[in-house]
Amino acid sequence: MMPLLRSRMSTSRYANKTSQRLFGDSLPDYTCSVNSVWTLSALIMASHGNETGSVELNPAVLPLDWLLGTWESDEPGEGCFPTIKPFSYTETLHFTHVGQPVINFMFNAFHAESQKPLHRECGFIRMQPGTNKVAFIIAQNSGLVEIEEGDLTGQQLNLQTNSLARISFAKKPHVQQITRVFQLRPDGRLEQTVSMATDNQPLIQHLHITYHRSS
């Protein structure tokens, strides 16, 4: 076997093992290809967040510095919607940066009792220069990709769907709108409230949870 091919196969096997260790069964196995290794590398980098602590926060996102760090849910959050049974969940939020005019984020939620992985969201936060306008660019593990935009008032973010796309085989009913509020409370807790509308349900509160900063 040629050395280069052996190297690629070895790297691919490492990619498979590493993807399972980091992401469980939520990702398919990687085949022996350079593209798959690059994809995994990007995912690993995203999972580590900002490991260059000396990098200064870009002034463009300085008004959002209160979000930075890792947040763990205090008590299980509450989820409800007319078409599903109410449920409780825990969640970890990661807000990081690498010096760009962007904040990176990753949200991981788990069922409070079974610890089964639930919704996962990742993406980027940007601000329109010279304004209080904020945009969240979000990818969800449900197959939904969304841009939410809104205003920053003090230490509260009010966001709503600006545009939305989904995979062609997404389950129905389809999500049509999401609103999201982040608020840093006087006691230092972070609070998040998410409302949702679908094809057959009007906009109604879907998720509510509070977090404490763990790092």
Side-chain angles (χ1 to χ4, degrees), residues 70-77 89-94 106-111 119-121 180 182 192 194 207-212:
T70 299
W71 299 83
E72 303 279 351
S73 51
D74 288 321
E75 300 292 335
Y89 68 101
T90 61
E91 189 170 35
T92 302
L93 313 182
H94 300 282
M106 182 175 290
F107 304 162
N108 297 318
F110 300 86
H111 193 279
H119 58 269
R120 296 191 169 198
E121 301 172 278
R180 191 185 307 257
F182 283 103
Q192 181 179 194
V194 177
L207 304 171
H208 180 262
I209 192 169
T210 60
Y211 318 83
H212 65 275

Side-chain angles (χ1 to χ4, degrees), residues 118-120 139-145 166-167 169-171 175:
L118 298 176
H119 58 269
R120 296 191 169 198
Q140 300 190 26
N141 61 343
S142 62
L144 196 66
V145 179
R166 62 179 59 84
I167 57 177
F169 48 92
K171 286 184 178 180
V175 174

